[in-house]
Amino acid sequence: MEYTELKLLCVSELTPGEKWRGLFQRSWSAYHQWFLTEGDHARPRFLTCESALRTYMPELMPTFQRLVELAGGSDQAARFLSLYRPTPYMTGCSQAVWKRDQPFLIRNYDYPAKLWEATLLHTAWNGRKVIAMSDCLWGVLDGMNEYGLTVSLAFGGRKIVGDGFGIPLILRYILEFCDTTAQATEVLRRVPSHMSYNVTILDKAGAHATVFVSPDRETVVSRQRHATNHQGSIDWPEHAIATASVDRAYYVSVRLDDERETRERFVARFLEPPLYQRKHQLGWGTLYTAMYDPTALSMSVRWPQYVESWDFQRFEEKTLSIQFW
């Protein structure tokens, strides 16, 4: 049976430097090709990108400027790193908040293995420590900061593309500058996303939310404890069917409402069908399961029969070899 082998890099660098430069050099060729998928003319000019970043997330500007410098300062690298109106992309994903006992956020990231950046970053770029699964070299797929705020994203199942930022950069901004779920939801109301996404949030106090963002309609903040790849009604039936979005959402909701469900069993379900997707020979599947515990300030990345854990006091740099069938 054919398989894809990837290496997950777990990197600690509190301020942007040579390690981040190495990550850029490792990934830029693939990201540059993605950036130009629709042609250079399809991406906004640098001054437009910089102006949008200054308008909506000005606190990120020093980090952005430093990363552009480390990347070599080219026009296309700077425009790419702004993540303003990026090339459209879609993921699968299931995510949920467990509220009983010790609350935690858990998610499966479903995506083509060959397109995954495969980097877990431990940073303190703006004075607070963040552990996050990286995307687009400084965006966040899921992560937690040292105040116990944790976030995760899932594609919202809609084709509409508009003005706004790639959601991974908005999640980076949240972890760099927010402490609570309430603060995070205000950012998601204020900062525009270029596509539809479902963002699940949990903070150290146990406050949670699932936020539905879209480029063409108002942001909706709900107390829903789970999200897959639709926003209430089905906008894109073909995608919903292909990813079993409705079935996965129903399965998670039933497990969350079952008083007999244990914490351990609920975690294990994310490593089993129907949540764990083994469709890599068809082009995509579950790449990892991440679990964030805001009370213990710890996180783990899981695969069937294998788990690695980190916290803010002991973040071990390592390279993990992972095989996907």
Side-chain angles (χ1 to χ4, degrees), residues 23-43 45 71 73-81 83 86-87 115 117 136-137:
L23 295 174
F24 177 85
Q25 293 171 345
R26 168 182 178 246
S27 301
W28 177 233
S29 177
Y31 274 132
H32 191 204
Q33 183 178 358
W34 174 71
F35 179 81
L36 297 175
T37 299
E38 299 174 313
D40 183 80
H41 65 281
R43 306 276 66 82
R45 301 297 93 188
S74 75
D75 172 75
Q76 290 185 344
R79 289 155 61 202
F80 162 75
L81 288 169
L83 272 180
T87 307
L115 300 181
E117 185 176 306
C136 295
L137 292 161

Side-chain angles (χ1 to χ4, degrees), residues 296-314:
L297 294 178
S298 65
M299 63 87 64
S300 60
V301 182
R302 299 163 181 260
W303 298 270
Q305 301 180 349
Y306 186 71
V307 59
E308 286 281 351
S309 300
W310 293 267
D311 61 39
F312 289 101
Q313 301 303 317
R314 297 176 299 277

Side-chain angles (χ1 to χ4, degrees), residues 108 251 265 267-277 304:
N108 279 4
Y251 181 81
R265 186 68 187 100
V267 172
R269 293 188 192 279
F270 276 74
L271 298 165
E272 304 167 351
L275 301 182
Y276 200 87
Q277 304 282 326

Side-chain angles (χ1 to χ4, degrees), residues 89 140 153 165-171 188 193-194 197 199 213:
Y89 59 97
V140 169
L153 66 85
F165 294 90
I167 195 69
L169 187 59
I170 303 175
L171 295 198
L188 291 167
S193 171
H194 86 304
Y197 289 94
V199 179
V213 300

Side-chain angles (χ1 to χ4, degrees), residues 158-222:
R158 303 180 68 235
K159 295 181 180 180
I160 302 297
V161 179
D163 290 340
F165 294 90
I167 195 69
L169 187 59
I170 303 175
L171 295 198
R172 167 61 67 181
Y173 180 63
I174 286 171
L175 291 183
E176 296 289 332
F177 299 105
C178 296
D179 300 339
T180 66
T181 294
Q183 293 171 351
T185 58
E186 285 306 306
V187 169
L188 291 167
R189 291 182 192 273
R190 178 178 61 81
V191 181
S193 171
H194 86 304
M195 293 188 74
S196 297
Y197 289 94
N198 306 331
V199 179
T200 300
I201 312 164
L202 175 67
D203 66 21
K204 193 172 184 178
H208 75 282
T210 291
V211 183
F212 304 112
V213 300
S214 300
D216 61 330
R217 56 192 189 190
E218 289 188 9
T219 297
V220 175
V221 178
S222 80

